[in-house]
Amino acid sequence: MPKLIIDGTEIEVADGITLIQACEQVGVEIPRFCYHERLSIAGNCRMCLVEVAGMPKPIASCALGVNDLRPGPNGEPPEIHTKSETVKKAREGVMEFLLINHPLDCPICDQGGECDLQDQAMAFGVDGSRFKENKRAVEDKNIGPLIKTIMTRCIHCTRCVRFMTEVAGVSELGMTGRGEDVEITTYLEQGMTSELSGNVIDLCPVGALTSKPYAFSARPWELRKTESIDVMDAIGANIRIDSRGREIMRFLPRNHDDVNEEWISDKTRFVWDGLRTQRLDQPYIRVRGKLRPATWDEAFAAIAKNIKRGKGKKLAAIAGDLAGAEEMFALKDLMASLGSPNIDCRQDKAAMSPAKGRGSYLFNSGISALDETDAILLIGCDPRTEAATLNARIRRRWRTGQLKVGLVGQETDLTYDHDYIGASPESLKSLIQGKHGFAKVLKAAKQPMIIVGSGALSRGDGSAVMALAAKLAALTGVVNATWNGFNVLHHAASRVAGLDLGFLPAKNGLNTAGILKAAKAGKLDMVFLLGADELDMARLEDTFIVYQGTHGDAGAHRADVILPGSAYTEKSAIYVNTEGRPQMTERAVFPPGEAREDWAIIRALSARLGKPLEYDSLEQLRSAMFAKHSHLAIIDAITADDTFDLKKLGSGTARIGTQSFGRAVPDFYLSNHVARASATMCELSAMKSGDTSKATGTDG
């Protein structure tokens, strides 16, 4: 390991790191604009200049490896100076050059208050400029509804270009021109379509790329910042909610190396406007075919009246994709007290059950293990739409040249090369029989993975497909004493918590398909929908429907009684991500109008029905829940499943269909009721589907 002397302090550093990383290890701040630890090295801003003893001029510390430094004349470690007069003058000169053409926009710039250029100009710049020439102007580009461009401010750090090419895998940004005519632009002046494009807003060190929906809305110091969790998919990306008063202003990513690193999808980042519109802010009851506003007492009375008509098996409940663990736990207790075994958290009818071990429905290897795997077989899943940040992680591993990917399912652009094996279970059989070469790739791999998606499990033969995938995993050595590469990728944030809690049919109970069938036949007196909108509502026409949720979506349109609940930004709730990691949202704002937290609504309803639940506060509810499911109390930690038996999962002789696997998420931007209420998401969906009238670089 090389030794260095940095500002008089001798340290030993790891092989292969850069000088700027070595300086960070001793707590020395090195200014930078183009350098980013998750992107390739560009070395074009020159702000990170340092002085190395024996070298004639300052060098860029981001582009020089510690192994490239020569020892002193007598073998002493290389000596680096970061605070010398030479370094100070060099940085001042670089800053002076950067500001030659930068406009004086700070008072009106959305980056103001959190701008790297502002901060570093104050810390490392000078108070004046020797340049008197006119500043150049660059025409702004319209690159879609998400990103606002003021390209005159651009300092050509190329962070955005490198991110889109390397991380997002979509080469939509590039640099044109030479010298003073250099511009960052989209190819053919087309809108950006990547589902990760919004991350360039965070990467831009100046105000050239800012959030278009957030433009001129607030200043950073006006906002209250709340650390929370995203629920737009099952990854559980860590986010920061910025709010002002009772209004959500924006979502920003938080770093979590084991989950989302520092990236979030565009749906996660820009869906906040959907939390403002089409909200349910008071109870409603249906009278003579029309919904009318009601009080909580009237709504509870209507429910109680209907429940008295039917008992036990004539009641059912379905939990939606955005439900938290606490409300599912409370609803399960309520349905049990009413004698109903008909509950289910699998809106899409996916074939998953705790009866086969917790490992049968988890991403067992963990998301961070994607950095180590050398072979992945995707079965019925499209990680680009179901888990965009996870897909970026797969791409990063693929770019090292040490990963091979195979796909069984709908052919799609995953942003990396892959072997397309087929679209139906027959392709899985061909792998088991050794008829396809990718089976040899899995067997030869040291740390192989099989990732099964909801597109393969949300079918009538889902259990048989799961068994087939398990047989393939056992045959190819995907699971061994030190490695468990058998993974299930969920797309619903509530799914793993629901399965952990056992929000599933009890003995002789009906699952989602059975509930819909019984409701259609008029055999159910009431169905309780806990934010469940992704159902065929036509099959619930002849049943009394109670809908508890946040938005006026499909469930509310069909409901006979509506109970307004809280969105994930308005409550403290536990969500378990696809790898089994419990994480907690925090309340950033209060719910609108008369809406209440979901668990509290269920608790109040239980008292009105004469079946009061045993907890009166969130703390008491969690104590009861943790007593039965202790792993949920260990926030941000994955509890290993020692009961998972791959051979048991692969047993069975159920009949397998021949139809192709479908897509779990047909429209990435409109996958749930919050997204469908967002004008931004609707515009993106229209642009993606071909209506690009507002996505070109020339149209307003």
Side-chain angles (χ1 to χ4, degrees):
M1 296 176 68
K3 290 184 178 180
L4 305 174
I5 299 175
I6 300 176
D7 291 340
T9 303
E10 183 174 327
I11 63 166
E12 193 172 5
V13 298
D15 283 317
I17 68 171
T18 60
L19 195 50
I20 194 172
Q21 292 172 315
C23 291
E24 287 175 346
Q25 287 186 13
V26 294
V28 176
E29 181 184 1
I30 304 294
R32 81 290 300 269
F33 289 114
C34 69
Y35 174 77
H36 191 279
E37 55 270 19
R38 301 194 195 277
L39 303 177
S40 63
I41 295 171
N44 55 6
C45 78
R46 319 309 288 180
M47 196 64 201
C48 64
L49 295 175
V50 297
E51 186 179 7
V52 178
M55 289 191 175
K57 59 183 179 180
I59 53 98
S61 59
C62 72
L64 184 66
V66 294
N67 298 90
D68 298 327
L69 295 172
R70 295 180 180 178
N74 301 315
E76 63 268 22
E79 191 170 354
I80 294 94
H81 302 283
T82 68
K83 300 175 182 176
S84 66
E85 191 62 28
T86 299
V87 171
K88 182 175 180 292
K89 287 186 177 180
R91 290 174 180 172
E92 288 175 352
V94 169
M95 182 60 70
E96 196 172 355
F97 272 113
L98 288 175
L99 294 176
I100 290 175
N101 289 311
H102 197 79
L104 302 177
D105 280 352
C106 295
I108 62 165
C109 178
D110 274 318
Q111 198 85 345
E114 48 191 9
C115 176
D116 291 346
L117 186 61
Q118 279 184 337
D119 296 340
Q120 294 186 40
M122 288 292 293
F124 305 102
V126 292
D127 60 354
S129 173
R130 291 168 288 178
F131 293 91
K132 305 299 180 183
E133 292 79 9
N134 292 330
K135 295 178 182 292
R136 77 163 189 165
V138 180
E139 184 180 354
D140 295 337
K141 308 296 189 297
N142 187 342
I143 56 177
L146 302 182
I147 302 169
K148 180 182 178 183
T149 61
I150 303 91
M151 300 312 295
T152 303
R153 301 171 184 164
C154 180
I155 62 170
H156 310 125
C157 70
T158 68
R159 279 186 180 183
C160 55
V161 176
R162 284 175 285 147
F163 172 82
M164 293 303 296
T165 303
E166 297 166 10
V167 179
V170 182
S171 299
E172 293 183 326
L173 283 177
M175 183 180 284
T176 63
R178 299 182 67 184
E180 193 179 47
D181 296 325
V182 163
E183 292 185 30
I184 301 292
T185 183
T186 55
Y187 293 103
L188 302 177
E189 295 197 343
Q190 195 172 10
M192 293 174 68
T193 58
S194 169
E195 61 286 340
L196 292 168
S197 63
N199 290 289
V200 301
I201 296 170
D202 300 326
L203 289 171
C204 184
V206 297
L209 303 175
T210 57
S211 172
K212 186 176 286 188
Y214 173 72
F216 307 123
S217 296
R219 287 297 194 183
W221 54 85
E222 300 174 342
L223 304 176
R224 184 177 62 213
K225 301 165 180 62
T226 307
E227 295 185 350
S228 190
I229 303 299
D230 170 59
V231 299
M232 291 297 108
D233 56 34
I235 297 301
N238 286 226
I239 62 172
R240 191 186 84 193
I241 303 171
D242 285 359
S243 59
R244 183 175 60 188
R246 300 190 63 170
E247 194 171 21
I248 300 294
M249 303 304 295
R250 63 177 179 177
F251 293 144
L252 295 177
R254 286 190 296 128
N255 188 77
H256 194 309
D257 287 339
D258 291 335
V259 180
N260 61 299
E261 298 179 295
E262 60 188 82
W263 318 125
I264 55 175
S265 72
D266 290 349
K267 183 165 58 176
T268 296
R269 182 184 298 270
F270 295 105
V271 79
W272 49 265
D273 66 323
L275 294 167
R276 301 177 179 178
T277 56
Q278 299 184 22
R279 289 301 301 271
L280 300 173
D281 57 0
Q282 66 183 79
Y284 289 84
I285 59 175
R286 191 175 295 277
V287 178
R288 290 189 289 275
K290 293 185 178 181
L291 290 169
R292 70 162 179 83
T295 65
W296 282 102
D297 285 341
E298 289 176 325
F300 287 165
I303 297 172
K305 181 181 178 181
N306 190 78
I307 287 180
K308 287 179 181 178
R309 296 175 184 168
K311 296 181 180 179
K313 294 185 178 180
K314 290 199 171 185
L315 308 176
I318 301 175
D321 293 345
L322 307 188
E326 289 83 355
E327 51 257 36
M328 286 191 286
F329 181 79
L331 183 56
K332 180 187 176 186
D333 281 356
L334 175 60
M335 297 304 289
S337 69
L338 295 172
S340 172
N342 308 318
I343 60 173
D344 205 345
C345 64
R346 302 163 300 183
Q347 273 193 113
D348 57 3
K349 312 176 188 66
M352 306 173 202
S353 172
K356 297 180 180 179
R358 192 167 184 251
S360 67
Y361 58 84
L362 291 183
F363 202 94
N364 292 291
S365 64
I367 295 172
S368 61
L370 290 167
D371 299 337
E372 306 168 15
T373 184
D374 47 358
I376 296 176
L377 175 64
L378 303 172
I379 302 175
C381 72
D382 178 4
R384 187 174 178 183
T385 59
E386 296 171 37
T389 55
L390 181 143
N391 192 65
R393 203 155 193 157
I394 296 176
R395 173 177 166 78
R396 184 178 67 189
R397 179 61 176 170
W398 169 81
R399 289 184 71 242
T400 66
Q402 301 176 58
L403 174 65
K404 294 183 178 180
V405 182
L407 172 63
V408 176
Q410 295 287 326
E411 175 67 300
T412 185
D413 178 12
L414 293 172
T415 72
Y416 41 83
D417 294 340
H418 58 275
D419 292 333
Y420 184 62
I421 300 167
S424 70
E426 295 298 324
S427 301
L428 276 181
K429 291 180 180 179
S430 70
L431 287 169
I432 292 175
Q433 296 165 358
K435 296 180 180 179
H436 194 282
F438 200 81
K440 296 180 180 178
V441 173
L442 286 174
K443 285 184 179 180
K446 294 180 180 178
Q447 293 177 306
M449 280 189 189
I450 288 178
I451 303 179
V452 185
S454 297
L457 303 178
S458 303
R459 308 159 33 115
D461 60 352
S463 295
V465 173
M466 176 68 90
L468 207 60
K471 287 178 182 177
L472 178 61
L475 184 66
T476 54
V478 168
V479 178
N480 55 51
T482 60
W483 175 261
N484 186 348
F486 187 80
N487 299 312
V488 175
L489 179 62
H490 296 276
H491 65 89
S494 66
R495 187 61 50 80
V496 174
L499 294 169
D500 283 350
L501 293 169
F503 198 94
L504 298 164
K507 186 177 181 180
N508 299 322
L510 301 175
N511 59 15
T512 297
I515 291 171
L516 294 177
K517 184 177 180 180
K520 180 68 174 178
K523 296 180 180 179
L524 292 179
D525 290 330
M526 187 194 78
V527 177
F528 193 109
L529 302 180
L530 182 60
D533 293 286
E534 320 305 321
L535 300 169
D536 182 2
M537 295 299 168
R539 305 186 71 179
L540 299 174
E541 289 292 339
D542 301 322
T543 306
F544 187 85
I545 302 298
V546 177
Y547 178 81
Q548 180 176 321
T550 59
H551 287 72
D553 206 77
H557 281 233
R558 170 59 200 91
D560 295 288
V561 175
I562 295 176
L563 306 176
S566 299
Y568 63 103
T569 56
E570 300 158 2
K571 62 187 176 185
S572 176
I574 293 173
Y575 289 85
V576 185
N577 78 346
T578 191
E579 58 182 347
R581 182 190 303 270
Q583 300 184 105
M584 190 179 296
T585 64
E586 294 294 343
R587 174 189 286 166
V589 295
F590 286 92
E594 297 181 40
R596 298 291 182 266
E597 290 192 36
D598 293 280
W599 76 268
I601 295 173
I602 296 168
R603 172 61 181 85
L605 176 60
S606 70
R608 182 65 176 81
L609 298 177
K611 304 285 185 179
L613 300 178
E614 59 182 8
Y615 26 81
D616 297 321
S617 67
L618 183 59
E619 291 73 20
Q620 292 177 1
L621 185 154
R622 283 180 175 161
S623 294
M625 183 170 68
F626 296 158
K628 296 180 180 179
H629 311 280
S630 58
H631 67 281
L632 296 179
I634 311 174
I635 300 299
D636 199 33
I638 300 173
T639 304
D641 177 28
D642 299 328
T643 65
F644 177 53
D645 187 342
L646 187 66
K647 291 184 178 179
K648 182 179 178 182
L649 184 63
S651 62
T653 57
R655 190 170 184 178
I656 299 178
T658 58
Q659 69 270 29
S660 299
F661 295 126
R663 295 186 184 277
V665 182
D667 191 329
F668 171 74
Y669 296 108
L670 304 179
S671 60
N672 57 63
H673 52 259
V674 180
R676 286 189 289 270
S678 165
T680 303
M681 294 298 107
C682 291
E683 188 172 356
L684 288 168
S685 177
M687 188 174 75
K688 192 79 171 180
S689 65
D691 179 13
T692 56
S693 59
K694 294 185 179 180
T696 65
T698 54
D699 295 341

